[in-house]
Amino acid sequence: MEAKKIRSTFIEFFQSKQHQYVPSSPIVVKNDPTLMFTNAGMNQFKDAFLGNETAKYPRVANSQKCLRVSGKHNDLEEVGVDTYHHTMFEMLGNWSFGDYFKKDAIAWAWELLTEVYKLPKDRLYVSVFQGDAGDKLEKDQEAFDLWSQIVPVDRIIMGSKKDNFWEMGDTGPCGPCSEIHVDLRSESEIATIPGRDLVNNDHPQVIEIWNLVFMQFNRLADGSLKELPAKHVDTGMGFERLVRAIQFKSSNYDTDLFKPFLDAIAKKSGKTYGLDEQTDIAFRVIVDHIRAISFTIADGQIPSNNKAGYVIRRILRRAVRYGYTFLGLQQPFLFELTPLIAEYFGDIFPEVRLQQEFIAKVIQEEEASFLRTLDHGLKMLESIKAELNSKGDKIITGKTAFELYDTFGFPLDLTSLIARENGFSVDEKGFAEEMEKQKTRSRAASEQETGDWVIVSEDTGVEFIGYDFTEAYSHIIKHRTITDKKGDRYQLVLDKTPFYAESGGQVGDTGWLISDSEKIRVIDTKKENDLIVHFVEKLPLNPEKRFSAEVDREKRTLTMNNHTATHLLQSALKAVLGDHIQQRGSLVNENLLRFDFSHFGKMTEEEITKVEDIVNSKVRENIHLFEQRNVPIEEAKKMGATALFGEKYGDFVRVITFDKNYSVELCGGTHVPYTSQIGLFKITSEGSISSGVRRIEAITSKAAESYLREQETLVKEIQDLLKNPRDVKKAIEALLQERNELRKEIETLHLEKASGLKSELLKQFVEKDGVNILIAQVELPNADSLKKLAYELKNDVSNAFVVLAAQIEDKPQVAVILEDTLVGSKGLNAGQIVRELAKEIQGGGGGQPFFATAGGKDLSGLGKVVAKAKEMYL
């Protein structure tokens, strides 16, 4: 059975059991401070488990895109080394929200695996939670009894809390689970050792394929367990492992999910998969990682140096490193696999097909950039080796290896490999210590303690009325305390709120909660899953009172101006640049709007002007807002509403229209009632922020007026400085021309001076042991002159060794340059020499073995530099 059929069979099976199929949520998590990526199928149903919302359907099934490369669930280092871990994988799952429980979950799992997929019963084992004294939990007798009716007792394994009690994190929904394992070994191996002895022992052929979690508890911050309001079922089956079991392969990578990708890499590299373990690991790393990279980019996460973007960049670079080192792929190659991603996954996840070209371009640019960095890092390693050779040392320090890792993305294994090939070793213990220091710094920066919710009212309904009102009488449902390095902060949940929670790029509202006895500042409003959380400066003295919840109207109004302007801007960009424009992120607050969009070229001034003109014409048209709430998603699509890739939309959506022929978007933010309220729109900057993504920053209303007023004032000040010429532009052009002519005259004088200086210095070389040495103090106009002079002296004199101590713009600098052959034959190293000499000017520096420079603070030390160099080498 092919992989696509296996997936569709799972969905159809549970649809026959009255389950609603729900599309996968984005792989990049939003509005959940506890998660960066979706790491399990249950993530999108978290609020239903916690009781924060009522589930839309009592029974659900889906195939969820998951990524496990950070936090508690981190499989990255195993990926490629073994044959069954992945970064991105599909989680097939079925859920019950207060409907069926253990009996049906167990029966259906067994029916699907053995009667539909026809997996042999004698190769399956099941596990049951054995209980835990620390949590005062008994053995899961109910699950044991149910399984006893289906499988022989000797195929039921009792599991510890580690293996058979599933927890989402340190806090949150949890419960006992039953895992189903499959033994894929040969008959001869099975005859030697029973499969039950290898379950949960990391045997590559005896693997877990399905986990049936029975959600019964909520883990509180103090570690205690509290019964959930209703019992739920959350099952997760790794699709890749299931395909392997059904196709009876010895590796996930031997299935039709991966083989086309392996064949493509084999063709590209000229290597054959299955002949050598080291190259096999490289093959597996690449074909796994291209999926993770492609899916996250499709969901709106571009590789970057921050948070989720950094994780994706790290995955991409890991794939490039393996291809570069073990497969000889020294040009961008990953991007060429994106058509296969679209072909094999486009049916179930259409976003990878719709954005195939964009995904490929982003990956190609990232690859090219990293290969340049990799090349630079290899040159750094050459310099490090040369310096060690000059000292007679053969060990690269842990600190140096960590700097290569942290700055150039060199993993320890790559540094160690290159070192071994050249007769060196790496202080791996020192590297581990440096890595732990960084982790400690990171933990300290992000450490936060979240208290449990204190329930004030049992009312679980939370109503947002902020589209229609900026004030409301509200009651507090619950509150909690959050402690981090900044101290204590407080969060409140109201039964009814006009405060907009940060979402879709729009910042959260601020304002006040006012009772008859106190006024409390609301400093921010955010979403935690679907819960609206208000951040306040202090807790109310009496949380049970009624409060007047009042939004800061001026901030809200200015924010709305900017949000509506982003809608007008996106449509204008499509009109000027083309329909390929897709939003890739945004920020909307009271001060500015920031709009990120897919485009691979710098906008011209003419294009920027056209976009501005279109937006301002729409502002002047005074287009009224047409807002539609609770529109069926399919109806909204037929209307041509623009949706944002990476957003999870429900069955019903909100549609914001400003002229049905111009701007129709799915949006949950707040907007102006008519466009003339925006007043004025002005783009202040346009530039690249990452591969294939541009950023526009703009202002509206009061900010735009202030900006133009400042520009007008600046022009007037320039006119005054120029004595009010009739034509300001011509006057400035004349000044620039005069300046350029003066610069040329100065450069000519400098060249004449340098030529004379060079002639004098050529007379000062001293020969010693076959080396021509020059050590001198000079005065030059700039650092470029110093470098140029050093190279000219080296080129004019054979076996040259030159040390120049220079005064440049009242600052001390030192340059050391050597004939290349002296680095090896005489054991000299310019970087090492300049660092030693720089001590005399209270400075430091470095460079290559044959040329290095240093700067310092103490100008009076230049004479000491010359004296020290002569003492050392003459």
Coordinates of all heavy atoms in Angstrom, one line a residue, residues 566 569 573 577 585-587 592-597 603 607-608 611 681-689 694-699:
T566 N -2.4 48.9 6.1 CA -1.7 47.7 5.6 C -2.6 47.0 4.6 O -2.0 46.4 3.6 CB -1.4 46.7 6.8 OG1 -2.5 46.3 7.4 CG2 -0.5 47.4 7.8
L569 N -2.3 48.9 1.5 CA -0.9 48.8 1.0 C -0.7 47.5 0.3 O -0.1 47.4 -0.8 CB 0.1 48.9 2.2 CG 1.5 48.5 1.9 CD1 2.2 49.5 0.9 CD2 2.4 48.5 3.2
L573 N 0.5 47.1 -3.6 CA 1.8 46.3 -3.9 C 1.5 45.3 -5.0 O 2.2 45.2 -6.0 CB 2.4 45.6 -2.7 CG 3.1 46.5 -1.7 CD1 3.3 45.8 -0.4 CD2 4.4 47.1 -2.3
L577 N 3.5 45.6 -8.3 CA 4.6 44.6 -8.5 C 4.1 43.3 -9.0 O 4.9 42.5 -9.6 CB 5.3 44.4 -7.1 CG 5.9 45.6 -6.4 CD1 6.4 45.2 -5.1 CD2 6.9 46.2 -7.3
G585 N 4.3 38.7 7.1 CA 4.4 39.2 8.5 C 4.0 40.7 8.6 O 4.1 41.4 7.5
S586 N 3.7 41.1 9.7 CA 3.3 42.5 9.9 C 3.4 43.0 11.3 O 3.4 42.1 12.2 CB 1.9 42.8 9.3 OG 1.0 42.2 10.1
L587 N 3.5 44.2 11.5 CA 3.4 44.8 12.9 C 2.6 46.1 12.7 O 2.9 46.9 11.9 CB 4.8 45.2 13.4 CG 4.8 46.1 14.7 CD1 4.2 45.3 15.9 CD2 6.2 46.6 15.1
L592 N 3.4 53.2 14.0 CA 3.8 52.9 12.6 C 3.1 51.6 12.1 O 2.5 50.8 12.9 CB 5.3 52.8 12.5 CG 6.0 51.8 13.4 CD1 6.0 50.3 12.8 CD2 7.5 52.2 13.5
L593 N 3.3 51.3 10.9 CA 3.0 49.9 10.3 C 4.2 49.4 9.6 O 5.0 50.1 9.0 CB 1.8 50.0 9.4 CG 2.0 50.8 8.1 CD1 2.4 49.8 6.9 CD2 0.7 51.5 7.7
R594 N 4.3 48.1 9.8 CA 5.4 47.4 9.2 C 4.9 46.2 8.4 O 4.1 45.4 8.9 CB 6.4 46.9 10.2 CG 7.7 46.4 9.7 CD 8.7 46.0 10.8 NE 8.2 44.8 11.5 CZ 8.6 44.5 12.7 NH1 9.3 45.3 13.5 NH2 8.2 43.3 13.3
F595 N 5.2 46.1 7.1 CA 4.6 45.1 6.3 C 5.7 44.3 5.5 O 6.5 44.9 4.8 CB 3.6 45.7 5.3 CG 2.8 44.8 4.5 CD1 1.7 44.2 5.0 CD2 3.1 44.4 3.2 CE1 0.9 43.3 4.3 CE2 2.4 43.5 2.4 CZ 1.3 42.9 3.0
D596 N 5.7 43.0 5.8 CA 6.7 42.1 5.2 C 6.0 41.3 4.0 O 4.9 40.8 4.2 CB 7.3 41.1 6.2 CG 8.0 41.8 7.3 OD1 8.4 43.0 7.2 OD2 8.2 41.2 8.4
F597 N 6.7 41.2 2.9 CA 6.0 40.6 1.7 C 7.0 39.9 0.9 O 8.2 40.2 0.8 CB 5.3 41.6 0.9 CG 6.1 42.8 0.4 CD1 6.6 42.8 -0.9 CD2 6.5 43.8 1.2 CE1 7.4 43.8 -1.4 CE2 7.2 44.9 0.7 CZ 7.7 44.9 -0.6
M603 N 12.6 47.5 -4.5 CA 11.6 48.4 -5.2 C 12.3 49.6 -5.6 O 13.2 50.2 -4.9 CB 10.5 48.7 -4.2 CG 9.5 47.6 -4.0 SD 8.2 48.1 -2.8 CE 7.3 49.2 -3.9
E607 N 8.4 52.8 -8.2 CA 7.4 51.9 -7.7 C 6.9 52.3 -6.3 O 5.7 52.2 -6.1 CB 8.1 50.5 -7.6 CG 8.3 49.8 -9.0 CD 9.2 48.6 -8.9 OE1 9.9 48.4 -8.0 OE2 9.1 47.8 -9.9
I608 N 7.8 52.7 -5.5 CA 7.4 53.2 -4.1 C 6.4 54.4 -4.3 O 5.4 54.4 -3.6 CB 8.6 53.6 -3.3 CG1 9.5 52.3 -2.9 CG2 8.2 54.3 -2.0 CD1 10.8 52.6 -2.3
V611 N 3.0 53.1 -5.4 CA 2.3 52.5 -4.3 C 1.7 53.5 -3.3 O 0.5 53.5 -2.9 CB 3.2 51.5 -3.5 CG1 2.6 51.1 -2.2 CG2 3.5 50.3 -4.3
F681 N -0.9 58.7 4.1 CA 0.0 57.5 4.2 C 1.3 57.9 3.6 O 1.4 58.5 2.5 CB -0.7 56.4 3.4 CG 0.2 55.2 3.2 CD1 0.2 54.2 4.1 CD2 0.9 55.0 2.0 CE1 1.0 53.1 4.0 CE2 1.7 53.9 1.8 CZ 1.7 52.9 2.8
K682 N 2.4 57.5 4.3 CA 3.8 57.8 3.8 C 4.7 56.6 4.1 O 4.8 56.2 5.3 CB 4.3 59.1 4.5 CG 5.7 59.5 4.2 CD 5.8 59.8 2.7 CE 7.3 60.1 2.3 NZ 7.4 60.3 0.8
I683 N 5.3 56.1 3.1 CA 6.4 55.1 3.2 C 7.7 55.7 3.7 O 8.2 56.6 3.1 CB 6.6 54.3 1.9 CG1 5.3 53.5 1.6 CG2 7.8 53.4 2.0 CD1 5.3 52.8 0.2
T684 N 8.2 55.2 4.8 CA 9.5 55.7 5.3 C 10.7 54.9 5.0 O 11.8 55.4 5.0 CB 9.4 55.9 6.8 OG1 9.1 54.7 7.4 CG2 8.3 57.0 7.2
S685 N 10.5 53.6 4.7 CA 11.6 52.7 4.3 C 11.2 51.5 3.6 O 10.0 51.1 3.7 CB 12.4 52.3 5.6 OG 11.7 51.4 6.4
E686 N 12.1 51.0 2.7 CA 11.8 49.7 2.0 C 13.2 49.0 1.9 O 14.2 49.6 1.5 CB 11.3 50.0 0.6 CG 10.8 48.7 -0.1 CD 11.9 48.0 -0.9 OE1 13.0 48.6 -1.1 OE2 11.8 46.8 -1.2
G687 N 13.2 47.7 2.3 CA 14.5 47.0 2.3 C 14.3 45.5 2.5 O 13.2 45.0 2.7
S688 N 15.3 44.7 2.3 CA 15.3 43.3 2.5 C 15.5 42.9 4.0 O 16.3 43.5 4.7 CB 16.4 42.7 1.7 OG 16.5 41.3 1.9
I689 N 14.8 41.9 4.4 CA 15.0 41.4 5.8 C 15.5 40.0 5.8 O 16.0 39.5 6.8 CB 13.7 41.6 6.7 CG1 12.5 40.8 6.0 CG2 13.3 43.0 6.9 CD1 11.4 40.6 7.0
R694 N 10.8 41.3 1.5 CA 11.1 42.7 1.7 C 10.3 43.2 2.8 O 9.3 42.6 3.2 CB 10.7 43.4 0.4 CG 11.3 42.9 -0.9 CD 12.8 43.0 -1.0 NE 13.2 44.4 -1.0 CZ 14.5 44.8 -1.1 NH1 15.5 43.9 -1.1 NH2 14.8 46.1 -1.2
R695 N 10.7 44.4 3.3 CA 9.9 45.1 4.4 C 9.7 46.5 4.1 O 10.6 47.2 3.7 CB 10.6 44.9 5.7 CG 10.0 45.8 6.8 CD 10.7 45.5 8.2 NE 10.3 44.2 8.7 CZ 10.9 43.6 9.7 NH1 11.8 44.2 10.4 NH2 10.5 42.4 10.1
I696 N 8.4 46.9 4.2 CA 8.1 48.3 4.1 C 7.6 48.8 5.5 O 6.9 48.2 6.2 CB 6.9 48.5 3.1 CG1 7.4 48.6 1.7 CG2 6.1 49.8 3.4 CD1 6.4 48.7 0.6
E697 N 8.2 50.0 5.9 CA 7.7 50.7 7.0 C 7.0 52.0 6.6 O 7.5 52.6 5.7 CB 8.8 50.9 8.0 CG 9.4 49.7 8.7 CD 10.3 50.0 9.9 OE1 10.6 51.2 10.1 OE2 10.6 49.0 10.6
A698 N 5.9 52.3 7.2 CA 5.1 53.4 6.8 C 4.4 54.1 8.0 O 4.3 53.4 9.1 CB 4.1 53.1 5.7
I699 N 4.0 55.3 7.8 CA 3.3 56.0 8.9 C 2.0 56.6 8.3 O 1.9 56.8 7.1 CB 4.1 57.1 9.6 CG1 4.8 57.9 8.5 CG2 5.2 56.4 10.5 CD1 5.7 59.0 9.0

